[in-house]
Amino acid sequence: MALETVQRKCCKQCLFSKNKIVSDSRKAEILEDCEQNNSHFQCHKATIKGVKGTCRAFYDKCTNPAISAMLESIGEVEFVDID
């Protein structure tokens, strides 16, 4: 299993904030795509820097809390500052 890298905090243009850089319809498409492909939304700030980093709000709101807690407890999740 690969280590999951997650933003330590939400960026100022987070997909889940009023300052998001996409429309509500595009947000819905992104989240639907993540669900259909069983993937996590990568923070745009991370991708601009060429690194993988799951959006913190996505991690908090859209992942299974029990599975996330288990992965965190065995060291499979790393919280990082990318912004």
Side-chain angles (χ1 to χ4, degrees):
M1 181 177 286
L3 180 68
E4 179 72 26
T5 304
V6 179
Q7 282 274 55
R8 189 175 315 278
K9 61 181 182 169
C10 295
C11 75
K12 293 178 181 165
Q13 296 173 318
C14 181
L15 183 67
F16 294 87
S17 75
K18 65 179 180 173
N19 296 321
K20 66 188 180 301
I21 59 174
V22 297
S23 67
D24 287 339
S25 62
R26 179 65 183 129
K27 174 185 174 181
E29 290 173 0
I30 290 167
L31 295 177
E32 182 177 330
D33 182 64
C34 289
E35 185 175 343
Q36 288 177 352
N37 292 301
N38 196 29
S39 62
H40 288 177
F41 174 66
Q42 299 297 302
C43 174
H44 73 282
K45 299 276 185 170
T47 57
I48 288 170
K49 292 184 178 190
V51 296
K52 284 189 107 179
T54 297
C55 166
R56 179 55 188 253
F58 181 91
Y59 182 79
D60 290 343
K61 296 173 186 273
C62 300
T63 59
N64 181 308
I67 293 173
S68 295
M70 184 214 37
L71 291 173
E72 289 173 32
S73 73
I74 61 172
E76 291 296 323
V77 177
E78 178 182 13
F79 295 99
V80 296
D81 293 309
I82 297 171
D83 194 20

